[in-house]
Amino acid sequence: MSGRDRISRALTPVTGRLSGKPYKSIRNTLGKGTGEKRGQARYSAFDLFRRGFTKDPWPPVWREHELSSSYDVVVVGGGVHGLAIAYYLAHRHGITNVCVLDKSYVGSGGSGRNTAIIRSNYLTPDGVRFYDRSVKLYENLSAELNFNVMFSQRGHLTLAHNDSSLRTMRWRAEVNKLENIDSEVIGPEEIKKLVPYLDVSSEPRYPILGALYHPPGGIIRHDAVVWGYARGADTAGVHIHQNTEVVGINVSSGRVTGVRTNRGDISAPIVVNATAGWASLISNMVGVRMPITTSPLQAAVTEPVKPFLNTVVVSGSLHVYMSQTDRGELVFGASVDPFPSYSMRGSLDFIEGLASHVLELMPALSKMRVLRQWAGLCDMTPDYSPIMGFTPVEGFLVDVGWGTYGFKAGPVSGEAMAQLIADNKTPQIIEAFALERFGTGELLGEKGAASVGH
Amino acid sequence: MRLSLRPGEVIDRSRPLRFTWNGHDYPAFLGDTISSALAASGERVMSRSFKYSRPRGVLTADSLDPGCIVQVGDEPNVRASHRRVEDGMIASPQNVWPSLRFDVKVANRAVSRFLSAGFYYKTFMKPQRLWPAYEAVLKRFASGGVISNRPAAGYFDKRYAHPDVVVAGGGPAGMSAAVAAAEAGAQVMLVESEHELGGHLRWGGAHELSVLAELKAAVSATNSIEVLIDSVVAGRYDGNFLAILQRSLPGVTERLIKARAKTLIVAPGLIERPYVFAGNDLPGVMLSGAARRLINLWAVKPGTRAVVFTANSSGDAAAQDLEGAGVEVCCVEDARRGGDVVRASGSATLQSVECGDGRTYQCDLLVTATGWTAPTSLLNMAGDKPTYDERAARFFPCSLPEDVLATGGITGDGSLEQILEHAAHTGRLAAGRARVAGGRLRKGVPHAAPTDSPVAEEQSNAITALPVDAHVALFRGRTHGFVDFSEDVSSKELEAAVAEGYSSIELAKRYTTATMGSAQGKLEVVNAVAVVAAATESTITETGTTVWRPPYAPITLGALAGRTLEPVRYSPMQSWHEARGATPLVAGAWIRPDHYGNPTAEVRNVRSNVGLIDVTPLGKFDLRGPDAAKLLSQLYVNKWAKLAVGSVRYGVMCAEDGVVLDDGVTGRLSDDNYLMTATSSGADTLLEWAESWLQTEHPEWRVHITPVTSDFASINVAGPKSRTLLERLVENVDLSAEAFPYMRVRRGRVAGVEDCLMWRIGFTGELSFELHVPSSYGLHVWESLMEQGADLGIAPFGIEAQRILRLEKGHLIVGQDTDGLTRAYSAELDWAIKLDKEDFSGKPELSWQAERSDWPKLVGLRPEDVTVVPPEASQIVHDGAIAGRITSSRMSPTLGRPICLGLVAPHLAEPGTELSIVLPAGVRARAVVTEHLAHFDPEGQRLRG
């Protein structure tokens, strides 16, 4: 579908009933829970030591359950968003009669395919505040979840190769500073100090003129975030059902009544669509059309070498971003493929372009080897911002449209969506992301930055 | 220790070499791999493992050997059991500090019980501020070699190929298939990862060697087979697009061959699978294939006293080879008769082996032959989901697309003769399918009707499938051992991961990192699956495997990138600019003059005399056809139907969301012919945009759009004296204001050059003529203008001066004064937008915007402090919130004060409004909204002159 159709078609079915409906509050029916809370097996150096000696096995990180016939909240999608919603529902609001469904294993979608970059140096004040909240939650996540998510705040550099992107970097820096985010434009000499392997000379075809430097940005162990939230949610009694695919959603008189899965039906007054890649398909099940197109984003990883890159490096102009994991591998990603597709196979064209851009930045790497490549799916919205909150179908909530920025927003989205469910009211921090904006024209400006990078 | 001459040896004893390993000098022969040469010198420890720092040696003696990954010169992670020794080569172990023999991380082994897989998820959590310190410790464990901060030596290249048949694997099956396909008329590419063709025949007995000689002769006698050794089919992508990595080309480090194969034959043979038991990673424990290769290819005696644990003929043959090489085989433990090995022990290398019946043997070599893994990676990439056969204890292809076939060990067992026949049959089939595919291509039918399918023809001639032999299912024995050697993951850790809830193979893989190392699971995955299956009390089929992803074998970034081909676009006048010392500006694909030393002087000269700017990069498109005006009308918000021949118009283009996409001037040259211009940076996008409308929305329109940007050299002659200058050079066009007014186009002769287009427009705000001359005459016209204008004070000006000039005049730059949300009304383009047109891109959104007033507006801004220019991107704040930003700012040489454009909130857009701007140091500056965007000559007297 072309973009122009996308917008008009997305708007048609919701015209006239644009304002999303809150649902009948579940507060009244609360309090039963799944009744399966349990004491948490703490992780600690001491416990590692003790079990190393006693050979006591660790308890399961989460448990398996039979599918209950009803839950207060059904979350579709067992990635970081879905699990974080369940976690905060249970821990902050005491709403525990909740299940998270995933058609495969937890973290098998975008949560396990992204390049795990965290940052908050966005362009719009709304974006900055939102992602900054996420960074703050990430900073305390290991302690909160008692699961080391290895958030490495090693700094994040977005390179500028021409004066227009340098101007955009300054724009971002100015907005960031006004929002009290550590972010500044630095010159080639400072860049060289941070990343000695970058060629900052005038030799490259697209010389590096400067960069936006964001010290609190960094990388994280993405699987650990997923597992940590899953474990935390499980501890509070949330049911996590893997290999459970939603095949339909029941709606009666404009209200959600439950979901149909390959393992049986579940009745529920609230269903949250927290999928990425399949968000529009799930929403179609209740007749809510999303202004979303889905395109693959490809990534690749090299064999490990000894640490030499201690910063996340992004080049919007060259469509590449890279970081070195603690294991020594370089992780690369690119921009979204220029065509919509649900394919998660990598292409040769992609790694060729990627390699040539990487070597343009760091000529020393020509003998490093690419070990594997993969793709994830990105649900792109017209304004490069998510869609969160109520929909015209009562009880059907969305936390979708996460493009290339979903992982960064996992904690704050979970927190905000849980708040929304508990209060039956959209929290201020996500007001700007409501579906209605496509009806009222109040699109967000993240697209304003020519390079929506990582 | 080197053995006497072996019949199949690949070393050339007349060519001794020397190389350095770990700082010491070692001998080798031509044909030795690094590890075979080291083994011949008695070295057994090649590396230390990445997590537990365990000594590791030769396990597979081929490119998968996980313990033989070394640094060679500036190249990290070289496969020492594959890479051949070159004279003077400097190789060193990777994971050792301070040395291979004494490694401080060996202490990890003492605490290994606390360092089980994923231990790091369970500790180092508090205090948060100490995580960077913990992380620094973890990083010390990073495996792999070293990348130095110098461009690596080597030459990388690419090649495109269109073979009929590509055969992946140059063993007996691959060779036989290649010969048969070639004899059936196909152009064949035979790709073998080792340094020679032959596969397992090479380390076989007399019969195998004689068959090999015949096959080799047949291959070399067939002209239409191109043999690529030391090369690998690394990826199979949609449409049988293959990435073949070639390392055998003299003078080229690595070459990526991109082959569009009509058919692909997958014949990789089988990979021998390690057995999981205690001590299975000790140097001295190796697979039967490794022992046979060391003995028969490199004449290396792998040990002195050996235990052989065998479940198949390869193990039996290894026992024979060992005895033939003078190794004492103290025990042959036969799994087919219930034999087992339980434990291998030794301090740094193997010293004893405990068998299933409790007997213990003192020995320095344990050879295991417990089974095979089918390398199904290429099949998976072709969409196949191989199925597990319990009887044969391995995976087999299930359903392949028409253009991919498989043969050899990956499809079954059988005698060598049966395999050769199956392969030959497969080769003929592949050639037939390639012929049909070629016929389809020639007919231009992408996927033709079923009558074209070769399947019917093939059915009468179906291949007899290879028999599948029963095999003992051996994955893990009674004890725990290593499943993934390169990641240091044991079966115990996998079991623990499953018990903790990481119970699917994908989760267990992610949690333990098993199969994520250098071999990408080729060696490890089936054992990992078997361990997880046992731990979850399910079958291997139920457990499934992890997804095989490309590449099949790692490819260097150098080969993927090839030679760096980043074209630069220059105008025909570039030599002139360079000679005048112009400062270059990288502008997308173009490099153009930013200025010639003093942009301020350049501005003044344009305002007072006449200046020349090279605007060749301006996007130019030739529109032809009766529906050209319809296309223009669809693309631009303006109207075009009434544009007269000989006139030009400034047009604004919006995307479907009403956001300004591009702008430029279009001239009507004749009834059906227009020249459209676009911003230099937007030209490529614009062509795609226009084509997408033509091809997907209005294929019925009769109009062609042709990019002609570089057909013309474009020169803007600007300044009050521009007409005087041009009158000296232009023939047959009346340049007077009456005959050639503002916004008109004329065609004529300039400096003797025919067919130059001239249009009167004024981005700089001055009287100006834009000349589009045939590009080969660009330099001539430019030099003629400079020469003829000498007495008029002519001077060139660059992009910087043009930016100042246009800012003085208040002309916006799309992408700078607009952003990804700026709809046309925000950019003060109301006058251009014709909502009464039937349709145009962005109309619904603009109609909507027209009814509202709550959008930001582009305004002129006059800073109060005449000495300070607020930098572009400075934020405008109001009531403590961001209310806009400076989009363009410069010191105006003409006005002697700073001038700005800014996008501001609607309530701040009224002329006279005072705004507060945040300057870099945090101080505030004040500025006033001006009446017009133009700071200079808002009425446009000068450009109309």
Side-chain angles (χ1 to χ4, degrees):
Chain A
M1 197 190 296
S2 79
R4 49 194 160 269
D5 288 333
R6 184 173 74 220
I7 291 174
S8 52
R9 284 187 207 164
L11 290 174
T12 329
V14 290
T15 310
R17 43 192 298 194
L18 271 172
S19 57
K21 285 186 191 169
Y23 48 83
K24 193 175 154 211
S25 175
I26 56 163
R27 277 282 183 203
N28 311 330
T29 63
L30 277 184
K32 53 183 177 138
T34 50
E36 293 174 38
K37 291 189 187 178
R38 57 161 186 176
Q40 205 176 37
R42 295 291 300 175
Y43 291 161
S44 68
F46 172 75
D47 227 23
L48 265 175
F49 192 67
R50 181 177 68 77
R51 289 177 198 265
F53 270 111
T54 62
K55 313 263 169 154
D56 274 359
W58 292 94
V61 66
W62 55 73
R63 293 157 294 174
E64 290 188 6
H65 301 277
E66 292 302 313
L67 213 59
S68 297
S69 60
S70 79
Y71 291 96
D72 289 340
V73 180
V74 170
V75 180
V76 186
V80 60
H81 281 257
L83 292 165
I85 292 169
Y87 173 86
Y88 290 113
L89 274 174
H91 285 266
R92 296 270 177 87
H93 306 288
I95 300 173
T96 58
N97 187 22
V98 174
C99 73
V100 179
L101 311 180
D102 199 285
K103 69 174 180 178
S104 182
Y105 58 93
V106 292
S108 55
S111 293
R113 294 166 184 273
N114 68 89
T115 49
I117 296 170
I118 308 293
R119 65 180 177 91
S120 65
N121 58 349
Y122 278 71
L123 181 66
T124 62
D126 287 330
V128 171
R129 278 172 226 147
F130 180 73
Y131 289 99
D132 183 49
R133 175 66 190 157
S134 214
V135 169
K136 296 282 192 306
L137 288 167
Y138 267 130
E139 283 172 349
N140 291 308
L141 205 56
S142 292
E144 163 147 16
L145 297 178
N146 179 232
F147 200 108
N148 192 350
V149 297
M150 296 188 256
F151 184 20
S152 170
Q153 294 184 283
R154 51 182 62 192
H156 181 285
L157 274 179
T158 316
L159 306 175
H161 302 267
N162 56 52
D163 60 342
S164 73
S165 57
L166 197 55
R167 195 180 303 114
T168 306
M169 299 308 155
R170 277 199 226 106
W171 178 7
R172 277 166 67 180
E174 292 301 319
V175 172
N176 294 164
K177 279 186 239 168
L178 288 169
E179 295 291 334
N180 295 314
I181 302 296
D182 192 354
S183 172
E184 60 177 326
V185 173
I186 61 174
E189 275 177 30
E190 285 163 282
I191 295 171
K192 187 80 183 170
K193 274 184 213 147
L194 286 166
V195 189
Y197 280 60
L198 270 178
D199 184 352
V200 298
S201 72
S202 58
E203 285 297 306
R205 174 67 183 83
Y206 299 102
I208 295 167
L209 305 181
L212 183 64
Y213 181 44
H214 178 46
I219 54 174
I220 201 162
R221 182 77 185 96
H222 55 0
D223 289 331
V225 175
V226 170
W227 301 334
Y229 273 125
R231 173 168 168 264
D234 173 86
T235 305
V238 169
H239 285 188
I240 296 166
H241 298 297
Q242 302 185 82
N243 302 309
T244 308
E245 182 169 4
V246 172
V247 295
I249 299 175
N250 297 327
V251 178
S252 166
S253 325
R255 290 182 50 186
V256 158
T257 58
V259 299
R260 300 190 297 278
T261 79
N262 60 344
R263 288 174 60 200
D265 294 359
I266 301 169
S267 69
I270 298 174
V271 174
V272 186
N273 177 4
T275 59
W278 301 272
S280 41
L281 302 180
I282 297 287
S283 293
N284 283 350
M285 290 177 181
V286 294
V288 173
R289 290 194 97 137
M290 292 281 156
I292 283 175
T293 53
T294 301
S295 296
L297 186 146
Q298 300 194 45
V301 64
T302 67
E303 291 183 344
V305 291
K306 298 285 183 261
F308 70 93
L309 174 64
N310 196 31
T311 309
V312 181
V313 175
V314 180
S315 166
S317 308
L318 295 178
H319 307 292
V320 61
Y321 46 92
M322 58 200 287
S323 65
Q324 187 175 21
T325 68
D326 289 344
R327 286 158 50 82
E329 304 150 324
L330 288 186
V331 177
F332 302 120
S335 49
V336 174
D337 279 352
F339 42 81
S341 166
Y342 285 108
S343 167
M344 286 192 278
R345 294 190 299 273
S347 71
L348 181 58
D349 184 57
F350 158 74
I351 34 171
E352 289 185 271
L354 180 88
S356 107
H357 291 141
V358 167
L359 294 185
E360 169 99 0
L361 293 174
M362 297 192 188
L365 308 190
S366 59
K367 289 184 178 168
M368 284 196 74
R369 291 189 180 82
V370 173
L371 204 50
R372 62 181 176 275
Q373 63 174 128
W374 68 92
L377 298 180
C378 297
D379 286 338
M380 306 305 296
T381 58
D383 61 356
Y384 288 58
S385 294
I387 306 172
M388 298 177 77
F390 300 105
T391 69
V393 173
E394 190 179 331
F396 182 72
L397 310 177
V398 291
D399 174 15
V400 300
W402 282 106
T404 64
Y405 17 87
F407 200 83
K408 299 167 181 65
V412 66
S413 303
E415 185 186 48
M417 289 299 292
Q419 183 85 46
L420 179 148
I421 291 166
D423 297 351
N424 197 12
K425 178 173 167 292
T426 306
Q428 196 267 331
I429 195 165
I430 58 167
E431 270 175 2
F433 302 137
L435 177 62
E436 290 108 277
R437 73 179 186 277
F438 300 102
T440 59
E442 285 159 46
L443 302 193
L444 286 119
E446 287 303 338
K447 198 180 164 188
S451 52
V452 177
H454 285 257
Chain B
M1 196 208 310
R2 205 68 86 163
L3 302 165
S4 57
L5 184 76
R6 307 290 301 181
E9 72 181 27
V10 297
I11 49 171
D12 182 346
R13 296 184 192 236
S14 69
R15 301 278 299 277
L17 312 170
R18 312 280 324 170
F19 73 109
T20 303
W21 163 250
N22 201 18
H24 300 281
D25 187 49
Y26 284 85
F29 291 119
L30 188 71
D32 258 324
T33 64
I34 297 168
S35 72
S36 74
L38 291 173
S41 293
E43 293 293 342
R44 310 201 86 187
V45 180
M46 308 287 173
S47 68
R48 292 273 178 178
S49 74
F50 126 83
K51 199 160 87 182
Y52 302 124
S53 199
R54 296 171 65 91
R56 295 276 165 81
V58 171
L59 178 73
T60 68
D62 61 16
S63 61
L64 298 180
D65 217 343
C68 299
I69 298 182
V70 305
Q71 178 96 21
V72 174
D74 63 3
E75 186 175 357
N77 304 326
V78 172
R79 274 53 175 176
S81 291
H82 173 79
R83 182 67 60 86
R84 286 189 159 171
V85 173
E86 289 164 28
D87 208 26
M89 181 184 253
I90 297 174
S92 46
Q94 292 188 154
N95 285 329
V96 284
W97 186 83
S99 79
L100 191 59
R101 290 195 174 82
F102 175 77
D103 186 325
V104 289
K105 280 191 294 177
V106 79
N108 288 354
R109 273 199 281 170
V111 296
S112 66
R113 60 167 68 188
F114 315 115
L115 302 184
S116 55
F119 79 93
Y120 33 76
Y121 297 126
K122 298 190 175 103
T123 184
F124 303 148
M125 285 167 287
K126 279 183 175 176
Q128 193 83 29
R129 68 187 153 76
L130 279 188
W131 167 243
Y134 297 136
E135 190 186 17
V137 173
L138 277 184
K139 276 186 183 179
R140 292 218 66 124
F141 289 82
S143 60
V146 176
I147 283 288
S148 67
N149 192 6
R150 283 185 304 275
Y155 181 77
F156 298 92
D157 204 357
K158 287 186 191 178
R159 174 188 157 196
Y160 293 82
H162 297 82
D164 293 328
V165 176
V166 168
V167 184
M175 293 166 87
S176 169
V179 170
E183 282 172 353
Q187 286 291 328
V188 180
M189 211 173 236
L190 175 60
V191 186
E192 167 55 39
S193 61
E194 300 242 328
H195 299 270
E196 281 172 72
L197 292 176
H200 68 270
L201 298 182
R202 296 164 61 219
W203 51 91
H207 176 57
E208 281 88 356
L209 289 175
S210 78
V211 173
L212 173 59
E214 284 169 32
L215 282 168
K216 273 186 164 174
V219 168
S220 52
T222 314
N223 282 334
S224 48
I225 301 179
E226 180 181 3
V227 177
L228 300 170
I229 50 156
D230 197 4
S231 302
V232 58
V233 180
R236 188 269 182 194
Y237 299 91
D238 293 353
N240 247 8
F241 194 39
L242 307 177
I244 302 173
L245 183 70
Q246 182 185 16
R247 288 192 51 91
S248 55
L249 197 67
V252 178
T253 312
E254 279 184 2
R255 179 162 78 166
L256 179 67
I257 301 176
K258 300 163 71 175
R260 183 73 74 176
K262 295 193 186 73
T263 50
L264 167 67
I265 298 178
V266 181
L270 293 169
I271 293 172
E272 191 166 21
R273 194 170 57 232
Y275 188 50
V276 181
F277 61 97
N280 65 339
D281 64 326
L282 266 177
V285 178
M286 65 178 71
L287 307 185
S288 67
R292 300 193 70 200
R293 287 164 63 87
L294 284 174
I295 294 169
N296 296 320
L297 297 182
W298 298 293
V300 171
K301 189 174 170 183
T304 53
R305 193 176 144 86
V307 170
V308 177
F309 177 47
T310 174
N312 54 38
S313 58
S314 176
D316 304 344
Q320 279 183 16
D321 283 346
L322 287 169
E323 283 182 340
V327 179
E328 180 196 346
V329 178
C330 56
C331 168
V332 175
E333 198 56 16
D334 195 325
R336 291 160 294 194
R337 288 193 286 276
D340 197 2
V341 291
V342 175
R343 190 180 315 279
S345 312
S347 63
T349 60
L350 181 67
Q351 283 158 337
S352 69
V353 171
E354 181 189 335
C355 290
D357 56 11
R359 284 172 303 154
T360 297
Y361 298 90
Q362 302 300 310
C363 60
D364 61 357
L365 182 64
L366 168 61
V367 172
T368 68
T370 54
W372 308 99
T373 294
T376 57
S377 181
L378 286 174
L379 306 177
N380 287 66
M381 291 180 214
D384 189 23
K385 287 200 173 74
T387 47
Y388 184 71
D389 182 329
E390 286 196 19
R391 194 172 144 269
R394 65 179 201 260
F395 284 85
F396 286 93
C398 179
S399 68
L400 291 172
E402 195 180 290
D403 54 4
V404 178
L405 300 99
T407 185
I410 199 169
T411 59
D413 299 303
S415 68
L416 181 54
E417 284 65 32
Q418 281 174 302
I419 287 174
L420 293 177
E421 194 188 318
H422 182 272
H425 204 140
T426 306
R428 284 190 290 276
L429 213 83
R433 291 190 189 177
R435 200 163 44 241
V436 173
R440 282 181 203 162
L441 285 176
R442 279 188 290 279
K443 275 188 270 175
V445 184
H447 288 286
T451 50
D452 264 15
S453 166
V455 175
E457 173 198 331
E458 287 167 10
Q459 266 165 359
S460 58
N461 195 15
I463 300 186
T464 316
L466 285 172
V468 172
D469 298 342
H471 199 287
V472 198
L474 289 168
F475 307 103
R476 180 169 87 78
R478 277 182 257 163
T479 47
H480 282 292
F482 281 90
V483 170
D484 189 321
F485 296 77
S486 56
E487 293 290 308
D488 252 7
V489 180
S490 69
S491 49
K492 193 177 173 183
E493 289 171 296
L494 269 171
E495 280 190 355
V498 169
E500 274 195 58
Y502 303 98
S503 51
S504 70
I505 182 67
E506 286 285 353
L507 283 175
K509 166 187 121 177
R510 285 169 178 269
Y511 187 70
T512 62
T513 74
T515 78
M516 291 172 79
S518 58
Q520 283 291 288
K522 291 190 274 290
L523 213 50
E524 311 90 355
V525 72
V526 177
N527 282 338
V529 170
V531 169
V532 169
T536 53
E537 292 174 355
S538 51
T539 65
I540 286 182
T541 303
E542 284 161 358
T543 305
T545 63
T546 57
V547 179
W548 296 89
R549 301 187 191 284
Y552 175 65
I555 311 183
T556 57
L557 291 172
L560 288 169
R563 282 173 290 155
T564 305
L565 300 172
E566 287 279 6
V568 180
R569 300 179 81 181
Y570 292 121
S571 91
M573 290 82 89
Q574 176 66 15
S575 58
W576 192 94
H577 305 317
E578 279 174 17
R580 301 309 180 283
T583 301
L585 177 76
V586 178
W590 293 87
I591 292 182
R592 56 192 307 194
D594 192 20
H595 57 82
Y596 299 83
N598 187 345
T600 307
E602 291 166 23
V603 168
R604 291 207 178 94
N605 194 56
V606 171
R607 293 272 180 245
S608 52
N609 295 313
V610 58
L612 284 189
I613 180 167
D614 180 351
V615 291
T616 303
L618 194 71
K620 295 177 279 287
F621 301 92
D622 180 89
L623 303 187
R624 258 168 225 267
D627 292 326
K630 284 188 186 163
L631 175 62
L632 287 168
S633 190
Q634 181 68 59
L635 295 176
Y636 287 103
V637 302
N638 318 61
K639 283 190 176 170
W640 297 90
K642 291 183 182 155
L643 182 71
V645 173
S647 285
V648 301
R649 179 166 291 167
Y650 169 77
V652 176
M653 206 175 275
C654 289
E656 58 223 333
D657 52 5
V659 170
V660 180
L661 188 69
D662 204 89
D663 66 347
V665 170
T666 295
R668 188 169 192 180
L669 307 181
S670 69
D671 274 355
D672 288 354
N673 184 202
Y674 295 77
L675 184 69
M676 176 170 102
T677 66
T679 58
S680 310
S681 53
D684 293 342
T685 316
L686 194 151
L687 180 64
E688 285 174 17
W689 178 241
E691 285 289 1
S692 87
W693 282 99
L694 280 181
Q695 293 180 28
T696 65
E697 305 290 331
H698 292 290
E700 76 282 6
W701 283 355
R702 290 179 299 160
V703 52
H704 282 285
I705 176 165
T706 311
V708 293
T709 300
S710 352
D711 290 18
F712 296 100
S714 302
I715 303 166
N716 194 289
V717 187
K721 297 177 185 169
S722 54
R723 182 179 287 126
T724 314
L725 169 61
L726 281 179
E727 278 168 350
R728 299 175 182 177
L729 284 154
V730 174
E731 296 167 69
N732 61 30
V733 175
D734 182 351
L735 295 177
S736 68
E738 303 72 36
F740 187 6
Y742 184 57
M743 297 307 268
R744 295 291 191 279
V745 56
R746 297 288 181 266
R747 190 191 292 270
R749 191 186 306 146
V750 181
V753 179
E754 298 287 357
D755 272 337
C756 296
L757 289 173
M758 287 162 260
W759 46 31
R760 263 202 68 189
I761 52 175
F763 192 47
T764 57
E766 288 298 323
L767 171 66
S768 84
F769 297 83
E770 195 149 289
L771 312 181
H772 301 294
V773 309
S775 56
S776 51
Y777 292 104
L779 183 59
H780 163 73
V781 172
W782 179 276
E783 287 179 331
S784 305
L785 287 162
M786 289 304 300
E787 195 183 308
Q788 293 291 321
D791 61 317
L792 301 173
I794 193 167
F797 64 106
I799 289 294
E800 176 59 18
Q802 188 191 45
R803 284 183 184 160
I804 299 171
L805 288 159
R806 69 88 203 179
L807 182 56
E808 289 179 340
K809 179 65 187 122
H811 284 151
L812 65 89
I813 294 179
V814 172
Q816 174 168 347
D817 300 303
T818 69
D819 59 51
L821 275 191
T822 312
R823 297 197 192 101
Y825 284 107
S826 290
E828 288 287 279
L829 295 165
D830 317 29
W831 58 271
I833 305 165
K834 306 298 181 196
L835 291 177
D836 56 338
K837 282 204 294 181
E838 189 187 343
D839 186 27
F840 62 88
S841 170
K843 181 178 171 184
E845 294 276 331
L846 289 173
S847 306
W848 189 17
Q849 196 195 7
E851 290 164 13
R852 303 167 55 134
S853 57
D854 55 349
W855 21 267
K857 290 188 79 170
L858 187 67
V859 296
L861 290 170
R862 179 179 180 150
E864 281 184 354
D865 183 339
V866 297
T867 61
V868 178
V869 181
E872 288 168 357
S874 294
Q875 298 296 302
I876 294 165
V877 291
H878 187 78
D879 286 343
I882 294 170
R885 73 176 196 282
I886 305 290
T887 58
S888 294
S889 64
R890 285 292 187 277
M891 180 60 78
S892 163
T894 312
L895 301 170
R897 60 171 175 84
I899 52 173
C900 308
L901 288 177
L903 269 169
V904 299
H907 63 285
L908 302 175
E910 275 302 303
T913 310
E914 278 208 2
L915 300 177
S916 178
I917 302 168
V918 184
L919 296 181
V923 294
R924 306 289 170 103
R926 303 201 67 77
V928 178
V929 176
T930 57
E931 194 175 341
H932 304 282
L933 295 181
H935 295 269
F936 176 70
D937 187 25
E939 292 77 30
Q941 303 285 344
R942 298 171 74 93
L943 53 78
R944 287 171 211 278

